[in-house]
Amino acid sequence: MGKGRAPCCDKDKVKRGPWSPQEDLRLITFIQRHGHENWRALPKQAGLLRCGKSCRLRWINYLRPDVKRGNFSKEEEETIIRLHETLGNKWSKIASHLAGRTDNEIKNVWNTHLKKRLAPKNGKIPQNDESKEICMVSSSCSSITIVSSPCGKRNLPSHNSGPFEEPKEFPSSSISSSNSNITNSSQVNVPNLENHGDSLLNFIGVYDWKNNTSEEVNKPEILDTAFDILLESDSDFWDMLDSLGTFQRDKIQSNEVEGNQSPDFGEEYSKENENNKWLQYLEIELGLEVTKNENHNNLSNTAAEPLVPEMYDMLLKP
DNA sequence: AAAGACATCAACCGCACTAGA
DNA sequence: TTCTAGTGCGGTTGATGTCTT
């Protein structure tokens, strides 16, 4: 073979640029149902006009349920700086030390904030950053400050302990953007809604929730909706989150009682059920839910109905 | 208010690495 | 051993938002 390498896909036949919510949903749906053993084949199987690499990137950097969004805390920034001293631009290695952070995100933070910040200080990590300075430096200070310390990690109200506790440091193998433990083979572990609640907030944390104009967006509109809820009523929002934390167990149990599933079927059914719930939630938040009750609060009160594949086809067809 | 400069970050590009035939 | 396909990684780009004049 020559030096040049065949392109991974025909650029004329694949869509490029920002992902639409529909594409996001399609990708999430497919990966949750079938996993992603083969990224190259995935777009075709999922009906996406995207390059496999693009799908992989989108999943790893954005759609993965365990991806942590929002401002980098001071601790995280210091960790990055420290690791960068020893590892250099090994972003994926650095990412493996930061729970839920992706190499791309870290790279961006380094290039946009940390590098500049350190340059005038000759490589010294500032010990007493004023919050003001951090805010200037932190990209998304404007996005969510509801309960956070200045530009730091997103902190949640204390009454929400449990499901929404700040994520603990995971073993690196399970967090690295490139080694996500929900990646390989068969079906992806369904993100339970406790995690998803966290994930959702992380989504919210980083994005500009005021922007909801364009049809094609970089960010799922889930963010806007969630923020609308938040702005409408804080307590309602937190109640909803509370309910998210508990609904899963309750619903699985109630389904087991109500339904005719045999005990053998239980575990698989529960997974399927969680899966459907998560997807249903996404549908609602993405505004793709057309036939069911749109009341968000009902999420925690209604039994999960299996998603109807035809509905996806109808909704997602160009 | 408008225009230009600057900042941010998602996404793309292409090379490197690895496994399997 | 060589070749090929698939995937990972790091650098770069471009669209968009924000700030400044």
Side-chain angles (χ1 to χ4, degrees):
Chain A
M1 268 267 184
K3 223 180 170 191
R5 200 199 149 114
C8 67
C9 50
D10 188 342
K11 287 171 187 167
D12 295 332
K13 291 179 183 170
V14 296
K15 188 168 177 289
R16 295 162 71 189
W19 282 65
S20 67
Q22 286 82 4
E23 287 176 305
D24 283 339
L25 182 58
R26 202 178 259 272
L27 180 59
I28 291 168
T29 305
F30 184 86
I31 290 177
Q32 289 195 344
R33 288 183 178 169
H34 307 290
H36 48 75
E37 285 175 327
N38 185 335
W39 282 112
R40 187 169 285 209
L42 188 147
K44 197 174 179 183
Q45 292 166 352
L48 285 161
L49 291 173
R50 289 280 178 173
C51 171
K53 289 176 79 168
S54 180
C55 293
R56 177 183 159 270
L57 208 64
R58 182 67 176 168
W59 174 256
I60 287 174
N61 287 336
Y62 195 83
L63 299 174
R64 240 183 343 141
D66 61 338
V67 74
K68 181 179 173 183
R69 313 299 310 194
N71 302 332
F72 276 67
S73 68
K74 198 176 166 187
E75 291 76 23
E76 284 177 309
E77 289 183 346
E78 286 176 0
T79 302
I80 293 169
I81 292 165
R82 189 162 33 82
L83 289 169
H84 188 269
E85 279 178 7
T86 56
L87 298 171
N89 293 359
K90 300 293 178 189
W91 306 117
S92 63
K93 294 261 195 304
I94 295 172
S96 71
H97 289 81
L98 291 162
R101 299 295 190 185
T102 68
D103 51 358
N104 205 34
E105 198 178 9
I106 291 170
K107 184 170 58 183
N108 282 333
V109 166
W110 175 263
N111 287 330
T112 55
H113 307 317
L114 302 180
K115 196 160 70 176
K116 291 172 193 169
R117 200 162 94 193
L118 291 180
K121 304 212 176 194
N122 201 20
K124 271 281 175 193
I125 303 170
Q127 290 304 308
N128 286 311
D129 275 342
E130 291 174 0
S131 59
K132 184 183 166 189
E133 184 185 348
I134 302 173
C135 276
M136 269 177 54
V137 159
S138 190
S139 63
S140 43
C141 212
S142 63
S143 36
I144 184 167
T145 52
I146 338 156
V147 286
S148 63
S149 54
C151 292
K153 277 186 182 174
R154 170 183 47 75
N155 293 322
L156 293 163
S158 56
H159 79 275
N160 273 307
S161 61
F164 302 113
E165 279 177 347
E166 192 62 33
K168 303 288 184 292
E169 190 83 358
F170 300 118
S172 60
S173 61
S174 65
I175 291 304
S176 163
S177 65
S178 53
N179 297 319
S180 165
N181 65 345
I182 53 168
T183 56
N184 296 326
S185 78
S186 65
Q187 259 188 312
V188 167
N189 275 344
V190 178
N192 67 36
L193 281 170
E194 292 178 0
N195 289 341
H196 177 58
D198 197 25
S199 180
L200 171 61
L201 284 173
N202 287 330
F203 273 136
I204 296 166
V206 75
Y207 292 119
D208 179 2
W209 46 275
K210 285 169 283 189
N211 173 25
N212 62 351
T213 51
S214 61
E215 187 185 345
E216 283 228 331
V217 292
N218 286 340
K219 300 97 186 175
E221 285 157 5
I222 187 171
L223 309 175
D224 300 321
T225 312
F227 243 93
D228 286 344
I229 297 167
L230 179 60
L231 293 172
E232 263 177 40
S233 162
D234 283 1
S235 61
D236 284 350
F237 180 72
W238 295 116
D239 287 345
M240 187 186 81
L241 292 182
D242 278 338
S243 70
L244 285 178
T246 55
F247 110 92
Q248 190 184 324
R249 273 184 307 276
D250 296 342
K251 286 327 296 176
I252 290 169
Q253 280 169 4
S254 70
N255 275 320
E256 280 170 356
V257 172
E258 290 165 15
N260 295 326
Q261 288 76 39
S262 69
D264 319 343
F265 194 57
E267 190 175 337
E268 192 163 342
Y269 179 79
S270 295
K271 271 194 168 183
E272 176 78 5
N273 195 29
E274 290 173 33
N275 210 352
N276 289 337
K277 266 296 184 188
W278 159 231
L279 289 170
Q280 190 180 353
Y281 183 79
L282 274 174
E283 284 179 302
I284 293 167
E285 295 298 347
L286 290 170
L288 296 173
E289 226 273 6
V290 291
T291 58
K292 295 173 199 147
N293 190 335
E294 299 201 356
N295 185 349
H296 293 91
N297 293 328
N298 279 356
L299 186 63
S300 59
N301 299 324
T302 55
E305 293 176 29
L307 291 173
V308 184
E310 292 76 21
M311 196 172 85
Y312 280 111
D313 291 336
M314 182 182 73
L315 290 168
L316 300 179
K317 267 178 189 164

